[in-house]
């Protein structure tokens, strides 16, 4: 038993002995702690040493030319992946419109039987007429004629399984009529992927950022041979099926009175050149939760091949209200007071961007003036913490204390910037804030507005992580498809919904013939929570 929990003795001599024992126990514990810390440090050094040795051996084994070849293979894999997925999406759209798919049929891998080692669950689909005991034509008894079996690949969290859809055939003993249950509905035509499997592949690609060729390699390790082109077909067809939901989410976002906007670069492979260009992913977020708004949050993503101002102008062509964003010139062009169709867009600037400029100067130079600016901005945020997730009127009441701090900041900035070199980064930081004084102050009087644009920046964080895995998009069409599916995944997350469970549920409803006229019922915020829990194994 530790002396720390022992009762204190009453006798002075015993108490002295107890204290000495406590000191000895503390010294032993301290020595053990130092030894453990030293062991951790040595282990960390050994790990780094091994990583260096492995990297060195790999370079020695394969050489620089092989490294370049491996990267070129990755580039070609992604390019082929995007092309095949896009072709599948176009074929799904063409098939739905009953028009010819292509003059030349794409070469597809031969359909292989599903592996025998996967667990199987048999689902017997009996005809509706009471187990097919009586003939629906004449009412006489029926005998079993045979059965059709269709095997489809299903996914439950952690593993795949095979569902065997068994459809017995029954023949009437009197009139020879044959009856059989219809085949189970699948999201894709002639598909062998259940909604759960499609959801898993989509989330792995657009939420966990695993390209399809890497998914194919992962499944192969478990004995499941899913060719990359098969996965491309599934993704392309699923993307086409989900497109009306993407349109509905975007419509919901731009119906808001206030949205947040931002963009991020995404490398895109240039066809035929073997190198990448820089495309852009744009996001617009509707999120009224910080001021206790009742409308559900949502995020709309778009892709463009460049950062031209025409792209946000097209995205926001029907929007009117407050736009909180950075100082990108393409956004500034939308704040023209003469804009009457459909109405004016009002700029709300971002204090996080403003603070970042001062922070960069402070980090580089340890300027006391930059530190003072950071401290003043921190005082604004200390009040904003109290205003978070409160009704709009209460937020405005909290911000009455912010108004004098804001006025003092701008007055101090006006005086300070004149004492600085006009070409310095610190002077540029002050000019950035002073030029946007009005837009940086708008949040004071309107409780619906935020002090910064972090809501949009948070929506782009997953894409920043994905760039480390993806390296680049395979083509512009791949960027557009990614924007559409990011729209669904991020909106599900904003509503506290598991994206995989949502996609499984939604693709299942679409397979069962959910009418397009009731697409609003499939929005991520509309489905009952009980339908959004991942199915147990």
């Amino acid at each position: 038993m530790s002396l720390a929990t022992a009762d204190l003795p009453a006798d002075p001599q015993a108490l002295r002995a107890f204290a000495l024992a406590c000191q000895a126990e503390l010294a032993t514990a301290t020595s053990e702690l130092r030894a453990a810390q030293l062991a951790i440090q040595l282990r960390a050094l050994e790990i780094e040493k091994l990583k260096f040795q492995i990297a060195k051996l790999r370079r020695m084994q394969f050489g620089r030319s092989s490294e370049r070849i491996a990267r070129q293979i990755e580039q070609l894999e992604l390019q082929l992946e995007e092309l095949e997925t896009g072709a599948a999406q176009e074929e799904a759209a063409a098939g739905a419109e009953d028009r010819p798919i292509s003059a030349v049929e794409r070469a597809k891998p031969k359909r292989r039987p599903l592996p025998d080692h996967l667990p199987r669950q048999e689902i017997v689909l009996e005809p509706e007429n009471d187990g097919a005991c009586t003939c629906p034509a004449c009412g006489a008894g029926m005998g079993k004629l045979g059965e059709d079996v269709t095997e489809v690949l299903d996914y439950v969290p952690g593993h795949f399984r095979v569902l065997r859809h068994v459809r017995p055939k029954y023949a009437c003993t009197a009139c020879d009529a044959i009856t059989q249950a219809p085949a189970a509905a699948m999201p894709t035509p002639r598909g062998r992927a259940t909604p759960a499997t499609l959801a898993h592949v989509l989330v792995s690609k657009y939420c966990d950022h695993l390209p399809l060729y890497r998914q194919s390699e992962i499944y192969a390790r478990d004995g499941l041979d899913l060719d990359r082109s098969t996965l491309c077909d599934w993704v392309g067809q699923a993307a086409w099926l989900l497109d009306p939901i993407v349109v509905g989410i975007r419509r919901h976002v731009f119906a808001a009175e206030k949205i947040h906007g931002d963009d991020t670069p995404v490398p895109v492979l240039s066809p035929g050149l073997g190198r990448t260009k820089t495309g852009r992913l744009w996001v617009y977020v509707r999120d009224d939760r910080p001021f206790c708004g009742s409308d559900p949050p949502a995020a709309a993503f778009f892709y463009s091949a460049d950062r031209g101002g025409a792209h946000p102008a097209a995205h926001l062509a029907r929007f009117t209200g407050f736009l909180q964003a950075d100082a990108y010139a393409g956004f500034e062009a939308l704040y023209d007071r003469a804009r009457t169709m459909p109405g004016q867009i009002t700029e709300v600037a971002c204090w996080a961007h403003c603070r970042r400029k001062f922070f960069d100067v402070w980090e580089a130079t340890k300027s006391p003036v930059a530190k003072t600016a950071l401290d003043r901005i921190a005082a604004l945020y200390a009040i904003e913490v109290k205003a978070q997730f409160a009704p709009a009127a209460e937020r405005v009441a909290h911000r009455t204390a912010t108004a004098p701090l804001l006025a003092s900041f701008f007055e101090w900035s006006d005086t300070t910037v004149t004492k600085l070199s006009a070409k310095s980064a610190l002077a540029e930081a002050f000019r950035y804030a002073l030029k946007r004084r009005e837009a940086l102050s708008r949040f004071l009087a309107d409780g619906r507005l935020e002090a910064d644009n972090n809501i949009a920046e948070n929506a782009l964080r997953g894409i920043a992580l994905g760039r480390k895995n993806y390296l680049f998009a395979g083509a512009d069409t791949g960027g557009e498809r990614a924007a559409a599916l990011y729209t669904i995944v991020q909106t599900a997350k904003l509503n506290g919904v598991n994206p995989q469970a949502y996609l499984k549920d939604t693709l299942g409803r679409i397979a069962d013939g959910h009418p397009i006229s009731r697409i609003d019922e499939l929005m991520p915020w509309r489905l009952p929570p009980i339908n959004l829990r991942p199915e147990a194994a």
Side-chain angles (χ1 to χ4, degrees):
M1 182 180 70
S2 172
L3 293 175
T5 59
D7 294 332
L8 293 176
D11 180 71
Q13 292 299 326
L15 184 60
R16 177 179 176 80
F18 182 85
L20 291 173
C22 285
Q23 288 179 342
E25 183 177 301
L26 177 61
T28 301
T30 302
S31 177
E32 291 174 352
L33 177 61
R34 287 175 179 170
Q37 290 175 337
L38 179 60
I40 291 173
Q41 292 173 355
L42 291 174
R43 194 180 304 119
L45 290 174
E46 185 67 13
I47 290 172
E48 291 303 315
K49 181 181 177 181
L50 286 173
K51 286 182 177 178
F52 176 79
Q53 290 175 339
I54 291 171
K56 184 178 180 180
L57 288 172
R58 283 177 173 168
R59 287 195 296 271
M60 292 172 60
Q61 180 180 5
F62 299 110
R64 290 185 178 179
S65 60
S66 294
E67 290 176 2
R68 287 196 297 268
I69 291 173
R71 185 171 178 83
Q72 290 173 357
I73 290 173
E74 285 185 331
Q75 291 178 334
L76 294 175
E77 287 276 15
L78 284 171
Q79 187 176 12
L80 182 59
E81 178 176 309
E82 297 294 1
L83 290 173
E84 291 186 331
T85 306
Q89 188 171 356
E90 292 173 2
E91 287 180 11
E97 297 174 8
D98 295 326
R99 53 188 172 86
I101 292 175
S102 173
V104 180
E105 186 177 356
R106 287 193 300 134
K108 297 183 180 181
K110 184 178 179 181
R111 177 174 288 191
R112 307 178 186 92
L114 294 172
D116 294 334
H117 72 273
L118 291 181
R120 278 164 165 75
Q121 177 179 331
E122 190 165 290
I123 301 174
V124 179
L125 305 176
E126 295 282 5
E128 293 183 358
N129 56 325
D130 192 23
C133 293
T134 58
C135 177
C138 69
M142 302 190 74
K144 190 171 182 179
L145 184 63
E147 61 187 23
D148 289 333
V149 178
T150 303
E151 292 194 338
V152 295
L153 185 65
D154 190 38
Y155 179 82
V156 292
H159 66 275
F160 287 98
R161 65 181 179 184
V162 175
L163 298 182
R164 302 184 75 247
H165 291 158
V166 179
R167 298 187 295 133
K169 292 181 181 179
Y170 294 92
C172 179
T173 56
C175 68
D176 292 332
I178 297 176
T179 185
Q180 186 181 35
M186 289 288 113
T188 58
R190 303 178 304 279
R192 298 181 69 186
T194 67
T197 299
L198 289 178
H200 175 65
V201 172
L202 290 173
V203 167
S204 295
K205 180 173 172 65
Y206 295 104
C207 190
D208 300 330
H209 314 295
L210 284 173
L212 297 182
Y213 75 89
R214 292 184 185 171
Q215 290 189 51
S216 179
E217 293 169 355
I218 291 170
Y219 304 148
R221 291 201 299 265
D222 290 331
L224 178 59
D225 191 1
L226 282 178
D227 192 272
R228 182 207 61 250
S229 62
T230 298
L231 298 177
C232 289
D233 281 346
W234 291 355
V235 170
Q237 292 168 7
W240 177 79
L241 288 172
L242 295 166
D243 187 64
I245 296 176
V246 175
V247 172
I249 292 174
R250 290 172 175 171
R251 187 187 308 117
H252 172 74
V253 168
F254 293 125
E257 296 176 341
K258 181 264 300 185
I259 60 175
H260 295 255
D262 204 355
D263 68 293
T264 190
V266 54
V268 181
L269 194 64
S270 296
L273 299 180
R275 59 177 182 266
T276 60
K277 61 181 181 180
T278 301
R280 309 297 296 194
L281 275 173
W282 308 79
V283 67
Y284 304 92
V285 185
R286 175 181 188 169
D287 194 348
D288 299 344
R289 293 173 298 176
F291 62 88
C292 300
S294 58
D295 291 319
F301 286 81
F302 296 87
Y303 168 82
S304 65
D306 54 54
R307 207 189 183 201
H311 303 300
H315 304 156
L316 299 165
R318 298 184 180 181
F319 173 72
T320 178
F322 294 101
L323 172 62
Q324 190 143 20
D326 61 15
Y328 166 55
F331 286 141
E332 291 182 357
L334 300 174
Y335 303 137
D336 188 351
R337 295 181 182 277
R339 184 181 190 259
T340 57
M341 294 296 291
Q344 188 175 347
I345 296 178
T346 304
E347 177 187 12
V348 184
C350 173
W351 273 102
H353 277 84
C354 182
R355 180 190 179 280
R356 199 168 298 144
K357 293 183 178 296
F358 289 108
F359 179 80
D360 290 343
V361 175
W362 159 250
E363 192 175 46
T365 67
K366 295 298 184 285
S367 163
V369 177
K371 182 63 168 63
T372 301
L374 291 174
D375 291 341
R376 285 174 174 264
I377 295 173
L380 306 179
Y381 272 95
I383 298 173
E384 271 307 290
V385 171
K386 304 175 184 177
Q388 284 297 306
F389 304 106
E394 186 176 330
R395 282 157 67 91
V396 172
H398 280 297
R399 289 168 178 172
T400 55
T402 306
L405 298 179
L406 212 56
S408 175
F409 174 86
F410 286 121
E411 182 180 348
W412 171 72
S413 298
D414 279 326
T415 303
T416 305
V417 72
T418 60
K419 303 175 184 179
L420 302 172
S421 168
K423 297 182 179 180
S424 68
L426 185 55
E428 175 59 30
F430 277 111
R431 286 195 295 269
Y432 179 92
L434 290 169
K435 181 180 178 181
R436 294 162 182 82
R437 183 186 316 220
E438 183 179 1
L440 284 168
S441 303
R442 283 205 168 95
F443 76 102
L444 291 178
D446 195 323
R448 297 170 299 175
L449 306 181
E450 301 300 312
D452 55 44
N453 196 35
N454 286 348
I455 287 176
E457 292 192 10
N458 289 341
L460 292 173
R461 282 185 178 176
I463 295 172
L465 293 174
R467 280 196 296 259
K468 297 178 181 179
N469 286 356
Y470 256 99
L471 304 180
F472 38 74
D476 287 334
T477 54
E480 293 165 1
R481 190 179 308 109
L485 289 162
Y486 282 143
T487 294
I488 292 177
V489 168
Q490 185 62 27
T491 299
K493 289 182 178 180
L494 287 173
N495 286 275
V497 169
N498 180 332
Q500 185 164 307
Y502 166 74
L503 287 168
K504 171 180 176 292
D505 186 283
T506 300
L507 289 168
R509 292 185 180 212
I510 293 173
D512 289 336
H514 188 91
I516 191 70
S517 60
R518 291 162 45 199
I519 200 68
D520 286 347
E521 297 176 8
L522 298 183
M523 295 296 118
W525 56 84
R526 290 293 299 272
L527 297 185
I530 191 172
N531 289 334
L532 301 178
R533 298 172 184 164
E535 183 178 313

